[in-house]
Amino acid sequence: QVQLVESGGGSVQAGGSLRLSCVASGFTMSGYYMGWFRQAPGKEREGVAGITSGGITTYADSVEGRFTISRDNAKNTLYLGMGSLNPEVTAVYSCARAIGRPPRPLERNGYISWGQGTQVTVSS
């Protein structure tokens, strides 16, 4: 069975950094496009970043230059490095597996499997 399990979230002061991990099981991650999404209270889930099996990345404008999506296919693990954090990024962050290479990688409809998410809280 397909499973995605996130970890690495927590509370951090503004300006700090975090690195999230997503460990996949039940499938070989190397064959899939993967992404990170987030959902803040009262808001819809939004795409943060996506990455092809070969490492080509896409970022939301709001995180470009500050977040880094990466993958270690040998470990079946996806990562999201987050730097220069501010309270606006507070949300539950989830990783997801897409259908092929989605034409709109930051939109939810292209993904078929989701993790439960990990909470990221940034205080001023």
Side-chain angles (χ1 to χ4, degrees):
Q1 61 183 286
V2 173
Q3 290 190 81
L4 298 169
V5 181
E6 303 93 340
S7 63
S11 298
V12 63
Q13 293 287 326
S17 301
L18 286 172
R19 191 190 193 200
L20 308 183
S21 298
C22 170
V23 178
S25 60
F27 71 100
T28 301
M29 183 182 285
S30 62
Y32 292 88
Y33 190 99
M34 302 292 295
W36 285 98
F37 289 75
R38 66 187 178 191
Q39 187 169 24
K43 295 186 176 182
E44 292 292 317
R45 193 188 305 266
E46 63 177 351
V48 175
I51 185 169
T52 71
S53 60
I56 300 172
T57 59
T58 298
Y59 295 95
D61 290 343
S62 61
V63 306
E64 180 75 47
R66 299 194 298 174
F67 286 17
T68 302
I69 187 172
S70 61
R71 62 195 299 158
D72 187 335
N73 288 332
K75 296 181 178 180
N76 237 34
T77 302
L78 180 73
Y79 303 98
L80 183 67
M82 304 184 294
S84 301
L85 294 173
N86 62 68
E88 293 181 352
V89 308
T90 294
V92 174
Y93 284 74
S94 302
C95 65
R97 182 183 72 168
I99 305 171
R101 182 174 180 176
R104 301 176 181 85
L106 302 181
E107 295 185 4
R108 295 169 292 173
N109 287 346
Y111 296 81
I112 58 173
S113 300
W114 296 83
Q116 292 296 306
T118 184
Q119 176 71 47
V120 172
T121 302
V122 182
S123 59
S124 301

